[in-house]
Amino acid sequence: MTELQEVQITEEKPLLPGQTPEMAKTHSVETPYGSVTFTVYGTPKPKRPAILTYHDVGLNYKSCFQPLFQSGDMQEIIQNFVRVHVDAPGMEEGAPVYPVGYQYPSLDQLADTIPCILQYLNFSSIIGVGVGAGAYILSRYALNHQDTVEGLVLINIDPNAKGWMDWAAHKLTGLTSSIPEMILAHLFSQEELSGNSELIQKYRNIISHAPNLENIELYWNSYNNRRDLNFERGGDITLKCPVMLVVGDQAPHEDAVVECNSKLDPTQTSFLKMADSGGQPQLTQPGKLTEAFKYFLQGMGYMASSCMTRLSRSRTASLTSAASIDGSRSRARTLSQSSESGTLPSGPPGHTMEVSC
């Protein structure tokens, strides 16, 4: 029998004019791979999936997603969808440190805990939003449970297992860098780390002084031991739902996301490359990412009457379309926009949208 604990809390954040405090319920469920904590905001909406988030290594759901979901532009979305924020085991606030020798779940096993969450909540479908390791976990879940995933927003996904060269570089880095520094290099670009902005200082402090740093290292090791997702365009192993891939320009995982885009179905995939956003666009550019998310939801048939206010159409926008040489691929659509303004139109069916904003 699944064991559950439930705590009701009030979300702590500055309220917007006319906004009331949002109640959150935090649950803890026992799964075959240990206890998993998740927090639910809002109430289920008829005939609408839940938005389920999964965070990256070194973070929890608050430090990974609060700037995004607390932004003013996001309020229209959260009023229309119930959200479930999952914390990886041992990453929740106040989590006890695992004993030495504890066998932490693999990323594949973490994906297998999601059905336990949905079963408890009696939710039949989700739109997943994942960053880094969380993006991998949601992708693995979608491959195994295609009927329950209506869409995915994957930020900084690396679908590939580490090769020998990657392992060698990782080992050499480990000889000269601490775990917090290696995780920071995973989360942020070298330019950001060198600049040592207030954001970098904040997250360096969060990770370096985390009381559950041993747990974070276990999650980090599971990420580095991930298997290849084996995406293949036109093959049997692919994501069947609409997907929005997101990465910051010059981010650590830019090449991996570009490669992932090349392996997914172009008729279902939008590729968003965000300028001036660094390694964590949900932290640095929540307004622009929210705007893109709204268009993504509209393309899925939700929020048809949503007003787009953050981005206006750029006069410098240029649109190019080109047919594939072999005719088997859909036409590719590329839109270049200024970083200060520009509309992110939802791509019509049968197109891959690449956007720099």
Side-chain angles (χ1 to χ4, degrees):
M1 178 66 67
T2 301
E3 297 179 8
L4 303 166
Q5 297 177 351
E6 180 177 317
V7 178
Q8 184 166 303
I9 61 175
T10 301
E11 185 175 13
E12 298 179 359
K13 66 178 181 179
L15 297 178
L16 300 173
Q19 188 180 1
T20 58
E22 187 176 19
M23 298 302 295
K25 290 185 177 180
T26 298
H27 311 265
S28 182
V29 56
E30 287 296 330
T31 77
Y33 305 106
S35 178
V36 177
T37 298
F38 54 96
T39 304
V40 181
Y41 289 88
T43 56
K45 305 299 188 291
K47 299 182 180 180
R48 292 203 171 188
I51 293 176
L52 185 144
T53 71
Y54 216 115
H55 62 86
D56 203 355
V57 175
L59 309 173
N60 57 28
Y61 94 82
K62 287 186 177 180
S63 57
C64 189
F65 290 109
Q66 267 195 348
L68 177 64
F69 283 93
Q70 288 184 1
S71 68
D73 297 313
M74 182 62 74
Q75 300 311 303
E76 185 178 8
I77 293 178
I78 66 177
Q79 291 170 5
N80 283 277
F81 295 89
V82 63
R83 1 196 264 285
V84 181
H85 297 291
V86 181
D87 280 318
M91 304 303 126
E92 69 275 10
E93 291 183 347
V97 175
Y98 291 124
V100 176
Y102 180 80
Q103 185 62 48
Y104 196 81
S106 67
L107 296 195
D108 290 4
Q109 290 171 333
L110 291 178
D112 288 338
T113 66
I114 295 177
C116 300
I117 298 171
L118 299 185
Q119 181 179 11
Y120 166 65
L121 294 173
N122 196 28
F123 290 170
S124 59
S125 63
I126 65 168
I127 295 172
V129 181
V131 182
Y136 179 102
I137 290 167
L138 290 177
S139 296
R140 178 64 72 185
Y141 171 76
L143 289 175
N144 297 334
H145 304 273
Q146 296 180 8
D147 293 341
T148 67
V149 181
E150 293 196 21
L152 289 172
V153 178
L154 305 176
I155 304 170
N156 296 338
I157 184 171
D158 187 342
N160 303 314
K162 279 186 174 294
W164 288 109
M165 295 297 292
D166 297 318
W167 267 113
H170 178 72
K171 292 297 183 182
L172 288 173
T173 302
L175 295 175
T176 57
S177 301
S178 65
I179 293 297
E181 289 302 320
M182 286 193 290
I183 292 176
L184 284 167
H186 161 78
L187 295 173
F188 299 100
S189 68
Q190 286 301 315
E191 182 179 358
E192 289 176 289
L193 294 174
S194 299
N196 199 31
S197 66
E198 184 177 336
L199 178 71
I200 298 300
Q201 293 177 39
K202 173 184 176 180
Y203 279 84
R204 177 176 281 115
N205 183 66
I206 288 174
I207 297 171
S208 298
H209 297 94
N212 62 336
L213 185 57
E214 293 89 344
N215 297 358
I216 293 174
E217 184 176 357
L218 294 175
Y219 189 20
W220 174 240
N221 291 337
S222 288
Y223 176 71
N224 287 313
N225 283 290
R226 66 190 180 276
R227 295 192 303 146
D228 199 314
L229 288 173
N230 292 314
F231 289 147
E232 182 182 0
R233 178 170 290 185
D236 294 332
I237 303 177
T238 190
L239 297 173
K240 305 293 186 181
C241 64
V243 178
M244 183 168 73
L245 300 175
V246 182
V247 70
D249 194 19
Q250 304 301 318
H253 306 286
E254 181 179 356
D255 291 343
V257 179
V258 170
E259 181 181 353
C260 183
N261 182 55
S262 71
K263 295 180 178 180
L264 295 179
D265 182 354
T267 69
Q268 295 277 31
T269 307
S270 298
F271 176 35
L272 180 66
K273 184 187 292 186
M274 300 183 66
D276 305 319
S277 65
Q280 299 291 309
Q282 82 282 3
L283 301 179
T284 59
Q285 300 280 4
K288 290 181 180 179
L289 182 55
T290 298
E291 194 80 348
F293 191 21
K294 286 183 181 179
Y295 280 111
F296 181 68
L297 292 171
Q298 283 187 330
M300 296 172 59
Y302 298 112
M303 300 179 62
S305 60
S306 175
C307 296
M308 303 303 170
T309 58
R310 169 68 62 156
L311 303 179
S312 60
R313 185 174 300 277
S314 170
R315 294 180 179 178
T316 61
S318 62
L319 181 66
T320 60
S321 297
S324 171
I325 295 177
D326 59 13
S328 63
R329 294 171 58 184
S330 300
R331 295 172 63 85
R333 186 181 181 209
T334 302
L335 179 66
S336 299
Q337 299 171 305
S338 71
S339 60
E340 296 181 357
S341 64
T343 301
L344 286 84
S346 53
H351 289 73
T352 295
M353 182 174 64
E354 298 187 19
V355 180
S356 295
C357 62

